[in-house]
């Protein structure tokens, strides 16, 4: 039986393949309001060295702004190796920018649609993995590093994010996709000191079915999708992670906290979602003037097409937990 989540995935892939891959030259636009940009998984880097905000987008592109209000872009910034596992024109999803040790790193999900690695039921699994590019500048260009593979070639992984844990080591936290394992997981893998590759194997943090708030419409049980992790520490030092799944056919974001204070957990889920319905894949950033915000995308169905736009919410995590406030209008 084809689930709701599988139908959603298929529709999105069919509709946006040309947008998510590096096969078109973008038209640069100026003074574009944030919520007018069509963009999934918005991640905003506030770069103090240039006094600019940078927002990577689908297809290896980048938007930039001085005030979060008006944006210019998109610029092509991701460069991939056509001879690598990604192929000549990979789809690029869920890009993030992280400043670390005098470099800038581009975490993203790359998909080579020409390579099929598995078939599970009606799910044809394409070669997809979280990967990292590097640049000397926030605005790129971002180039491949030495290691061509961070995660196993026989597993579809996505939405990799960055975290330095209490042991001082860098990690990638990512999703092992439900299309293959039928119960999506959140996992971690240690990275080399310069992030040029991974060390060892991935380790399970939690499963989608552990969530008390997600729900699958067809079965009434927990939804099996894990999506969009982002890590942070509260003012009391508590380690938290926001992540996204579904309630019936509604895209929804929840939160989980580590009782042990590290990536090893154990992880304890909050009972209720933390954002309004149809918002998800969030991240937290501090503005150049010191205010903390959450960046998410809205998710709506318009005549069979999924429309996604970036939005900002005020947040407070100065205490023991993250509290999401009102929408923020730059």
């Amino acid at each position: 039986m084809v689930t709701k989540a599988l139908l959603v995935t298929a529709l999105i892939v069919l509709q946006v393949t040309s947008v998510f891959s590096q096969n078109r030259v973008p038209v640069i636009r100026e003074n574009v309001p944030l919520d007018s940009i069509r963009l999934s998984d918005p991640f905003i880097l506030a770069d103090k060295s240039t006094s600019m905000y940078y927002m990577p987008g689908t297809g290896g592109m980048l938007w930039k702004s001085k005030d979060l209000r008006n944006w210019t872009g998109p610029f092509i910034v991701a460069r991939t190796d056509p001879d690598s596992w990604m192929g000549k024109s990979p789809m690029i999803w869920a890009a993030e920018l992280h400043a670390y040790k005098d470099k800038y790193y581009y975490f993203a999900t790359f998909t080579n649609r020409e390579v099929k690695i598995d078939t599970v039921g009606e799910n044809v699994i394409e070669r997809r993995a979280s990967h990292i590019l590097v640049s000397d500048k926030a605005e790129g260009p971002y180039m491949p590093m030495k290691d061509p593979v961070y995660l196993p070639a026989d597993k579809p992984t996505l939405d990799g994010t960055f975290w330095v844990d209490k042991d001082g080591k860098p990690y990638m936290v990512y999703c092992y996709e439900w299309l293959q394992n039928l119960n999506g997981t959140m996992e971690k893998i240690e990275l080399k000191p310069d992030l040029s590759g991974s060390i060892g194997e991935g380790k399970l943090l939690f499963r989608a079915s552990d969530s008390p708030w997600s729900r699958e419409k067809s079965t009434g049980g927990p939804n099996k999708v894990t999506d969009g992790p982002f890590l942070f520490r509260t003012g009391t030092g508590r380690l938290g992670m926001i992540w996204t799944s579904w309630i019936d056919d509604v895209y929804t974001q929840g939160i989980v906290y580590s009782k042990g204070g590290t990536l090893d957990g154990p992880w304890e889920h909050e009972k209720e979602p933390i954002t309004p319905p149809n918002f998800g894949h969030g991240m937290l950033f501090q503005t150049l003037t010191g205010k903390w915000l959450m960046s998410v995308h809205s998710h709506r169905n318009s005549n069979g097409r999924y429309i996604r736009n970036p939005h900002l919410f005020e947040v407070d995590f100065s205490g023991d937990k993250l509290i999401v406030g009102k929408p923020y209008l730059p």
Side-chain angles (χ1 to χ4, degrees):
M1 179 176 176
V2 179
T3 65
K4 172 69 180 180
L6 178 56
L7 289 173
V8 168
T9 301
L11 282 170
I12 291 172
V13 169
L14 286 172
Q15 292 166 5
V16 299
T17 297
S18 63
V19 176
F20 278 69
S21 59
Q22 304 170 90
N23 59 2
R24 66 189 183 98
V25 177
V27 176
I28 305 301
R29 295 182 289 156
E30 297 183 354
N31 298 319
V32 181
L34 180 65
D35 61 3
S36 295
I37 298 173
R38 293 279 294 273
L39 180 71
S40 302
D41 315 329
F43 188 101
I44 297 176
L45 171 68
D47 187 56
K48 292 182 179 180
S49 66
T50 57
S51 298
M52 293 285 289
Y53 297 98
Y54 298 95
M55 181 171 64
T58 52
M61 299 180 191
L62 181 79
W63 293 82
K64 57 185 180 181
S65 172
K66 293 182 178 180
D67 56 11
L68 293 176
R69 184 180 302 111
N70 297 306
W71 293 80
T72 300
F75 304 93
I76 296 177
V77 297
R79 304 285 189 267
T80 57
D81 179 0
D83 295 324
S84 72
W85 66 266
M86 298 180 192
K88 294 181 179 180
S89 186
M91 298 171 67
I92 303 178
W93 302 347
E96 300 187 358
L97 302 181
H98 295 275
Y100 183 66
K101 292 186 177 180
D102 300 321
K103 297 280 188 181
Y104 293 87
Y105 293 91
Y106 183 99
F107 285 61
T109 304
F110 298 85
T111 301
N112 184 342
R113 303 207 68 201
E114 300 299 317
V115 178
K116 314 301 187 217
I117 62 172
D118 198 3
T119 300
V120 179
E122 298 183 27
N123 302 336
V124 178
I125 314 299
E126 298 169 340
R127 178 73 169 94
R128 176 178 301 125
S130 295
H131 201 85
I132 307 172
L133 308 178
V134 67
S135 178
D136 291 325
K137 299 183 295 183
E139 62 185 21
Y142 288 86
M143 309 297 290
M145 289 187 280
K146 293 173 290 185
D147 198 328
V149 177
Y150 284 79
L151 295 165
D154 60 347
K155 295 182 179 180
T157 56
L158 70 162
D159 293 357
T161 191
F162 182 54
W163 186 249
V164 178
D165 214 1
K166 282 187 174 181
D167 59 8
K169 297 177 180 179
Y171 292 87
M172 180 194 293
V173 174
Y174 61 93
C175 304
Y176 173 22
E177 196 168 23
W178 69 277
L179 290 173
Q180 186 181 57
N181 64 20
L182 303 181
N183 187 3
T185 60
M186 203 69 72
E187 303 187 1
K188 72 165 187 176
I189 194 166
E190 185 181 343
L191 298 173
K192 295 178 180 179
D194 64 354
L195 313 192
S196 64
S198 58
I199 299 172
E201 298 180 351
K203 180 179 179 180
L204 175 69
L205 304 184
F206 61 85
R207 303 179 189 278
S209 59
D210 295 338
S211 164
W213 54 264
S214 71
R215 184 171 61 251
E216 195 169 72
K217 190 173 185 178
S218 61
T219 66
N223 197 282
K224 303 303 169 55
V225 173
T226 48
D227 182 89
F230 183 85
L231 294 129
F232 66 97
R233 286 201 185 274
T234 67
T236 61
R238 192 181 188 193
L239 178 61
M241 180 198 303
I242 53 178
W243 68 289
T244 302
S245 191
W246 297 79
I247 297 179
D248 296 333
D249 58 353
V250 179
Y251 196 60
T252 305
Q253 183 168 255
I255 192 166
V256 60
Y257 292 99
S258 169
K259 294 181 69 174
T262 71
L263 289 177
D264 290 327
W267 291 90
E268 186 173 49
H269 294 261
E270 293 284 280
K271 293 182 179 180
E272 300 295 332
I274 60 169
T275 47
N278 284 317
F279 289 93
H281 203 111
M283 58 83 60
L284 308 176
F285 72 99
Q286 190 173 30
T287 69
L288 295 172
T289 57
K291 188 176 185 65
W292 280 98
L293 299 175
M294 173 186 287
S295 173
V296 296
H297 72 246
S298 57
H299 183 103
R300 62 186 175 89
N301 186 332
S302 177
N303 298 319
R305 294 183 64 85
Y306 284 92
I307 309 299
R308 296 177 172 188
N309 302 101
H311 296 271
L312 302 176
F313 283 87
E314 296 182 358
V315 291
D316 180 6
F317 54 101
S318 59
D320 194 46
K321 59 193 306 183
L322 174 69
I323 299 172
V324 180
K326 63 183 180 181
Y328 178 78
L329 302 176

